[in-house]
């Protein structure tokens, strides 16, 4: 009889897991999640469930959809059916600022954004009310470690974001804190009078920013990309920084995105900052037959394909514009110049002025690069400029627009989770 009862519970659990919204992770929207927070009533992927576990069982109690089949009870399944991903996000993420970047299916399992999103949501409960956190105040100041230009050293720098001026400045040291008339108001309400001239000033209107774990090897790091930035001489300037905590680096990114939101008056979160379409190593040879193959770091950023000698170089070696098929651009899955040695994963990018010959490091990279560049060539310039940063953007928008009326039973379930 007990076996029959458990079978009925598992059958009902399977039905609930297939309901709309429960078929993707409540945090990063990865398809087919097979982990569950029983008290929060949400379905999670394996990576997000690991972070939920680290929150502690007083916040989130994790079970496997497939491995813990003997410990499920009817009450647990009923709670899942009452809550579920859509209703839970309507509650816990009701007031997420437009500038806040959410994790997506393509984010690293150990991404700082994934962990800080979950902690902000359930541990710090940042999105339950309409109160505006400090990182949306329009100004921020704090210590970040900045990579030296063209060097491998990292130096402590005092960064000051001023939304009214539209700038992010950095100084060799912190100015003296005063209680008098403010020049810049820090995020903690302390007014700062900056005594030194800035070492650099970044114009936020033209700056993109993204997490840089893959490049720096440090979890809490950002890359800022500035077209024709300070001292760039017409090239794109890359500035790398890291912080001592994950919460701090995420809040810096959100602060930059919020400033751009106010400066540019845009209405789509994916237009505030964006991740690169694709980045990684490719071998490249020059235009003449005598040129050898050299390993380069390539970044596909919209319609710009930039390549560097090393991933953290401050400036690119060259910048290739990727136009449309109608303008004479194309990408081929082989080396089209028959006089050249054909590498195993060779490809050719054709532009109106010359052809670029590249070779991927493996089959997967070869296919991913071809797909990414072809997608750009086949798109109109308008589509490229406005396309979303990935599946997370559309999934997040769908979740944000899924408004529901909270019934009493659901409200009661939510109350039980706030321990």
């Amino acid at each position: 009889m007990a076996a029959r009862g458990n079978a009925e519970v598992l059958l009902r659990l399977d039905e609930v897991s297939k309901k709309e919204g429960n078929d993707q992770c409540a945090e990063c929207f990865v398809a087919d999640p097979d982990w569950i927070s029983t008290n929060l009533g949400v379905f999670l992927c394996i990576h997000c469930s690991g972070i939920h576990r680290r929150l502690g069982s007083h916040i989130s109690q994790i079970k496997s959809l497939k491995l813990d089949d003997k410990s499920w009870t009817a009450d647990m399944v009923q709670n899942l059916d009452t809550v579920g991903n859509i209703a839970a996000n309507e509650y816990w993420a009701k007031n997420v600022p437009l500038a806040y970047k959410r994790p997506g299916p393509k984010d690293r399992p150990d991404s700082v954004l994934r962990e800080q999103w979950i902690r902000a949501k359930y541990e710090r409960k940042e999105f339950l009310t309409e109160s505006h956190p400090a990182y949306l105040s329009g100004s921020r100041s704090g210590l970040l470690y900045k990579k030296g230009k063209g060097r491998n050293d990292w130096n402590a720098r005092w960064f000051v974001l001023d939304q009214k001026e539209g700038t992010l400045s950095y100084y060799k040291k912190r100015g003296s804190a005063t209680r008098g008339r403010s020049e810049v108001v820090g995020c903690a309400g302390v007014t700062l009078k900056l005594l030194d001239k800035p070492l650099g000033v970044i114009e936020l209107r033209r700056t993109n920013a993204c997490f840089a774990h893959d490049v720096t090897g440090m979890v809490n790091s950002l890359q800022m990309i500035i077209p024709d930035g300070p001292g760039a001489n017409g090239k794109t300037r890359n500035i790398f920084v890291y912080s001592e905590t994950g919460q701090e680096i995420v809040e810096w990114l959100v602060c930059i995105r919020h400033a751009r939101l106010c400066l540019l008056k845009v209405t789509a979160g994916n237009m505030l900052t964006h991740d690169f379409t694709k980045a990684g190593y490719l071998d490249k040879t020059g235009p003449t037959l005598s040129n050898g193959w050299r390993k380069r770091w390539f970044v596909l950023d919209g319609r710009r394909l930039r390549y560097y000698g090393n991933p953290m170089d401050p400036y690119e070696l060259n910048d290739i514009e990727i136009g449309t098929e109608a303008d004479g651009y194309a990408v081929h899955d082989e080396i089209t110049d028959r006089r050249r040695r054909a590498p195993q994963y060779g490809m050719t990018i054709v532009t109106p002025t010359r052809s670029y010959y590249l070779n991927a490091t493996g089959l997967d990279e070869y296919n991913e690069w071809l797909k990414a560049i072809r997608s750009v060539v086949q798109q109109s310039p308008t589509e490229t400029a406005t396309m979303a940063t990935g599946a997370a953007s559309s999934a997040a928008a769908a979740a944000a627009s899924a408004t529901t009326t909270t019934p009493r039973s659901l409200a009661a379930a939510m109350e039980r989770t706030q321990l």
Side-chain angles (χ1 to χ4, degrees), residues 26-253:
E27 315 299 355
C28 71
F29 308 108
V30 163
D32 303 320
D34 51 11
W35 293 83
I36 297 169
S37 173
T38 56
N39 62 314
L40 295 175
V42 294
F43 290 78
L44 306 164
C45 71
I46 187 171
H47 305 307
C48 291
S49 71
I51 298 172
H52 271 254
R53 283 188 188 277
R54 293 202 291 274
L55 297 179
S57 59
H58 63 293
I59 295 178
S60 186
Q61 298 161 16
I62 300 299
K63 292 177 69 69
S64 170
L65 181 63
K66 299 177 179 178
L67 302 179
D68 297 323
D69 55 342
K70 293 183 179 180
S71 59
W72 283 99
T73 67
D75 288 342
M76 290 178 183
V77 176
Q78 180 58 46
N79 186 54
L80 281 172
D81 192 25
T82 302
V83 185
N85 287 3
I86 292 178
N89 275 326
E90 173 65 17
Y91 178 80
W92 291 102
K94 184 177 182 179
N95 296 292
V96 177
L98 181 59
Y100 204 103
K101 183 175 173 62
R102 301 182 182 215
K106 295 183 180 180
D107 284 336
R108 293 174 57 116
D110 58 348
S111 78
V112 63
L113 180 61
R114 187 192 302 269
E115 176 161 359
Q116 290 306 312
W117 162 259
I118 292 172
R119 290 191 180 278
K121 197 173 172 185
Y122 305 107
E123 190 175 63
R124 300 193 293 269
K125 301 179 181 179
E126 291 182 12
F127 314 130
L128 288 182
T129 66
E130 295 183 0
S131 61
H132 294 290
Y135 52 74
L136 299 181
S137 66
S139 64
R140 185 179 181 88
S141 59
L143 185 71
L144 293 173
Y145 295 88
K146 175 184 172 293
K147 184 181 181 297
K149 184 169 66 174
R151 306 189 306 273
N152 290 324
D153 56 330
W154 294 81
N155 301 295
R157 296 289 182 254
W158 189 259
F159 278 77
V160 177
L161 185 146
D162 188 337
Q163 182 179 297
K164 290 183 179 179
E165 295 295 326
T167 59
L168 177 63
S169 305
Y170 54 94
Y171 300 78
K172 188 173 183 179
K173 59 183 179 179
R174 178 179 180 173
S176 60
T178 70
R179 295 287 178 182
R181 190 170 180 177
S182 66
E183 293 186 1
V184 178
V185 180
C187 61
V190 178
T191 59
L192 304 173
K193 185 176 181 181
L194 301 169
L195 302 179
D196 302 325
K197 290 183 178 180
L199 298 175
V201 179
I202 300 167
E203 186 181 347
L204 291 174
R205 288 178 180 273
R206 303 169 61 246
T207 300
N208 182 33
C210 58
F211 294 110
H213 189 173
D214 289 337
V215 178
T216 65
M218 292 180 285
V219 176
N220 305 330
S221 59
L222 280 180
Q223 178 178 356
M224 287 177 274
I225 309 98
I226 313 140
D228 194 18
N233 297 320
K235 293 189 175 183
T236 299
R237 175 76 160 96
N238 290 321
I239 294 178
F240 296 91
V241 298
Y242 78 87
S243 71
E244 294 180 343
T245 69
Q247 181 179 348
E248 185 179 17
I249 203 66
V250 169
E251 290 183 358
W252 269 108
L253 178 67

